[in-house]
Amino acid sequence: TAPPAQREALLTALTAVREEPAAPVFAHLVLHTDHRGPLAELYLRAVQTLGTLKDPNGIDALKTAIHKGEWWAPRRTAALREAAAAALARIGTPEATAVLDEAAASGGRGVRAAARAHLAPSSAPRRGGR
């Protein structure tokens, strides 16, 4: 409910934290903050920061984030999914790559596109019968 200037100052201060012990806080924000409305920017920055921290503890929250979105907000949904896929790719552990593989293979169309864009060419699921 803070005014926009205060909200921006809080977001800047919060996302300036680049230490691994902060990862659970950002994962909590991703899991418990609405990705719409006045906290949408906080949500997006929390997703991006999880990737920057490269902490495997954020993988579950990012798995949830890559599948979030609404059909009536395609641009916002694509941006959120792109951010989650990029964060998973930055984490780069086998578990993070497995989440991307699963999303690329069985997610909705937008989820598949976001995941495939961040998979290594050799691990991306192939289309067609060849």
Side-chain angles (χ1 to χ4, degrees), residues 23 29 45 55 83 90 94 101 120:
L29 288 172
R45 288 192 191 180
D55 186 335
R90 270 187 249 121
D101 285 336

Side-chain angles (χ1 to χ4, degrees), residues 38-119:
L39 297 178
E41 184 63 25
L42 172 64
Y43 181 88
L44 180 61
R45 288 192 191 180
V47 167
Q48 293 167 337
T49 303
L50 281 173
T52 301
L53 294 174
K54 297 183 180 181
D55 186 335
N57 293 322
I59 293 173
D60 288 337
L62 293 170
K63 181 178 181 178
T64 300
I66 199 169
H67 291 281
K68 268 192 179 178
E70 295 86 15
W71 62 268
W72 63 86
R75 290 180 192 210
R76 178 184 60 216
T77 296
L80 293 175
R81 289 178 177 164
E82 161 63 24
L88 286 163
R90 270 187 249 121
I91 291 173
T93 63
E95 294 84 10
T97 303
V99 170
L100 283 173
D101 285 336
E102 183 262 322
S106 63
R109 184 177 57 155
V111 173
R112 290 192 314 265
R116 286 181 183 146
H118 292 281
L119 283 170

